[in-house]
Amino acid sequence: DDGAVGGQLRVLPDTDGERLLLGIGQLTEWARANGSGAMITLDPSGPPEQEPTVVSSGYINPFAFDVVTAPDAALWVADNAVGDDVERIGRADLADRDDHSASGVDDRAPASMLALDDETLLICGFLDGELQRWDVGAATPSFVETVGPCLTGVTTVDVGGESGGAQIIVTATADALVALPGP
């Protein structure tokens, strides 16, 4: 299959154990059979032929997503766009893509997302090569600032040792890993 399955994989706590979370792009065989791309979960202990649980749907390519675990298990997603459509950001655990906010930023192709806390997301853009900070604490997500370069991935790394606790942000570009000041 030449479709797109999300670039990230997350483990979600569940009342019955853990579930794997992934994004399925609209060009996959599964999405064509089900009408659109979706955010889905799978039982990591389940059989290979298990049916996924659809969390939300209507996506083009939900490649960038992350879970904020406190104060609740909020699932944020940034969905790519094609043609005249617009990229959207929203809570995938609360609504389908059509109810998410247009990002207002064209041609980013979100490739990775990192939730710093329940109000701040870092979103890496594959097309513009930028790591952007977004405020998601208000009703509508809004761009705050460009933090640094980023092409395909973003994470935080503890650098303070056992007694420190300091963190830096690390992004992946086409040529290198880039260390940026911590959150």
Side-chain angles (χ1 to χ4, degrees):
D1 193 310
D2 62 351
V5 175
Q8 300 181 84
L9 183 66
R10 295 287 186 260
V11 176
L12 294 177
D14 189 70
T15 55
D16 299 324
E18 295 181 330
R19 308 237 351 126
L20 294 177
L21 172 71
L22 62 149
I24 302 290
Q26 72 177 4
L27 298 178
T28 61
E29 184 178 320
W30 183 90
R32 287 191 293 266
N34 289 279
S36 75
M39 295 299 300
I40 65 166
T41 62
L42 295 168
D43 179 353
S45 301
E49 64 276 359
Q50 70 181 290
E51 286 296 317
T53 299
V54 175
V55 176
S56 56
S57 63
Y59 297 100
I60 294 168
N61 188 11
F63 212 75
F65 57 88
D66 203 3
V67 178
V68 179
T69 55
D72 58 7
L75 168 57
W76 284 94
V77 62
D79 190 35
N80 295 335
V82 294
D84 293 333
D85 200 356
V86 295
E87 292 176 352
R88 295 185 177 273
I89 299 173
R91 291 266 311 261
D93 57 315
L94 299 179
D96 291 338
R97 183 187 196 272
D98 288 344
D99 295 322
H100 295 174
S101 299
S103 72
V105 181
D106 293 332
D107 300 327
R108 292 214 68 228
S112 183
M113 177 185 290
L114 178 66
L116 294 180
D117 54 44
D118 62 339
E119 295 186 358
T120 308
L121 300 176
L122 295 179
I123 304 174
C124 179
F126 183 77
L127 295 178
D128 63 13
E130 293 181 351
L131 181 65
Q132 295 182 351
R133 183 181 309 268
W134 283 75
D135 177 1
V136 293
T140 302
S142 60
F143 168 77
V144 175
E145 64 182 336
T146 296
V147 177
C150 189
L151 188 67
T152 58
V154 58
T155 193
T156 55
V157 176
D158 292 326
V159 293
E162 289 182 27
S163 62
Q167 289 187 325
I168 60 171
I169 297 167
V170 178
T171 65
T173 68
D175 302 321
L177 296 177
V178 177
L180 301 168

